[in-house]
C-alpha cells in the first residue's frame, strides 16, 4: 500500500480540522466476501489483535483493516475477541449479576427464557454466555495472502474516487 490505511481513507472536516474518515464503510470488500475461494478460517489466541494477525499472516500490520473488514469488525473493543479478564469486566458492566441466569438450554442447545416443568434445561449464566460469544470470535476468516495485493490496489483506487465530506 502506498501509505498507511488512514492516509488512503477519504478525509472528513470536523470542527475545522481535516481528519481520516475512519467511519467510512468499506463496501468494496462486501462483494469480495461471497467468493469462498479467497478465504480460509482459522482460530486465533485471545491475545491476538487485528494488527498482530495481519503482521503474522500478511507480513504487514498495516493490513489490519482487511482482517477487520472480512470479519465485520466495526468496533474492535466489542467485535473482536477479548482476553478473559476483559470479558469479566464487560460482564460486570453489562449485567447486574455475572452469575445471574441469562437463559436456559436443552440438550440440542435451543435457548429458553425459563426452565421446563421437568427441570431438564441447563441454566446459562451471563458470564457463561459472554464467554461463549467471546470464544466464537476466536474463529476468524482471513483472505489468502496471494489476494492481498489486488485488494489493496482496488481499495486505493476506490478511495481516490471518494470525496472529502464536510461537517454540517
Amino acid at each position: 500500500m502506498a501509505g498507511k490505511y488512514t492516509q488512503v481513507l477519504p478525509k472528513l472536516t470536523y470542527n475545522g480540522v481535516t481528519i481520516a474518515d475512519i467511519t467510512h464503510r468499506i463496501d468494496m470488500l462486501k462483494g469480495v466476501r461471497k467468493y469462498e475461494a479467497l478465504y480460509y478460517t482459522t482460530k486465533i489466541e485471545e491475545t491476538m489483535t487485528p494488527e498482530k494477525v495481519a503482521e503474522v499472516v500478511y507480513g504487514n500490520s498495516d493490513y489490519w483493516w482487511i482482517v477487520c473488514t472480512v470479519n465485520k469488525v466495526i468496533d474492535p473493543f466489542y467485535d473482536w475477541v477479548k482476553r478473559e479478564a476483559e470479558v469479566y469486566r464487560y460482564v460486570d458492566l453489562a449485567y447486574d449479576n455475572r452469575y445471574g441466569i441469562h437463559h436456559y438450554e436443552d440438550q440440542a442447545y435451543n435457548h429458553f427464557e425459563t426452565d421446563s416443568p421437568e427441570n431438564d434445561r441447563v441454566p446459562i449464566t451471563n458470564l457463561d454466555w459472554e464467554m461463549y460469544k467471546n470464544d466464537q470470535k476466536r474463529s476468524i476468516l482471513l483472505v489468502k495472502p496471494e489476494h492481498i495485493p489486488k485488494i489493496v490496489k482496488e481499495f486505493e483506487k476506490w478511495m481516490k474516487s471518494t470525496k472529502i465530506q464536510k461537517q454540517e
Side-chain angles (χ1 to χ4, degrees):
M1 182 175 275
K4 290 189 176 231
Y5 174 66
T6 54
Q7 293 169 334
V8 176
L9 283 172
K11 304 301 179 219
L12 168 69
T13 302
Y14 183 77
N15 285 342
V17 178
T18 301
I19 58 174
D21 184 0
I22 62 171
T23 64
H24 193 76
R25 301 265 185 220
I26 305 172
D27 293 328
M28 178 197 73
L29 288 179
K30 286 181 184 174
V32 176
R33 211 178 143 87
K34 65 184 174 186
Y35 300 106
E36 288 184 16
L38 298 179
Y39 301 96
Y40 65 97
T41 302
T42 191
K43 196 126 177 148
I44 60 169
E45 296 298 318
E46 68 178 18
T47 57
M48 296 288 282
T49 63
E51 293 85 355
K52 186 65 178 169
V53 171
E55 178 67 37
V56 169
V57 177
Y58 306 129
N60 187 339
S61 62
D62 288 339
Y63 295 151
W64 63 269
W65 60 273
I66 296 173
V67 174
C68 286
T69 300
V70 298
N71 288 285
K72 300 179 182 175
V73 173
I74 304 300
D75 183 342
F77 294 107
Y78 294 102
D79 301 338
W80 190 257
V81 65
K82 297 175 188 68
R83 293 180 178 172
E84 187 172 322
E86 294 169 324
V87 176
Y88 276 84
R89 281 194 298 275
Y90 173 75
V91 168
D92 289 342
L93 289 171
Y95 300 96
D96 291 334
N97 178 359
R98 73 167 62 156
Y99 301 110
I101 304 301
H102 187 274
H103 65 272
Y104 293 84
E105 292 181 1
D106 63 14
Q107 290 182 340
Y109 302 106
N110 295 312
H111 294 205
F112 300 92
E113 289 192 30
T114 59
D115 199 356
S116 68
E118 295 82 22
N119 291 341
D120 60 351
R121 295 179 183 155
V122 176
I124 305 299
T125 67
N126 296 319
L127 180 61
D128 292 336
W129 180 242
E130 293 300 332
M131 287 291 210
Y132 169 78
K133 290 189 333 185
N134 191 60
D135 190 54
Q136 295 300 105
K137 293 175 187 173
R138 292 183 58 219
S139 181
I140 64 170
L141 279 176
L142 290 174
V143 174
K144 293 178 182 175
E146 62 265 26
H147 302 295
I148 295 299
K150 180 162 178 49
I151 289 173
V152 169
K153 185 177 177 181
E154 288 295 317
F155 180 70
E156 286 177 334
K157 183 177 159 188
W158 188 58
M159 287 294 107
K160 285 179 184 175
S161 67
T162 304
K163 297 185 171 72
I164 291 179
Q165 297 180 23
K166 302 270 186 203
Q167 176 190 9
E168 299 283 331

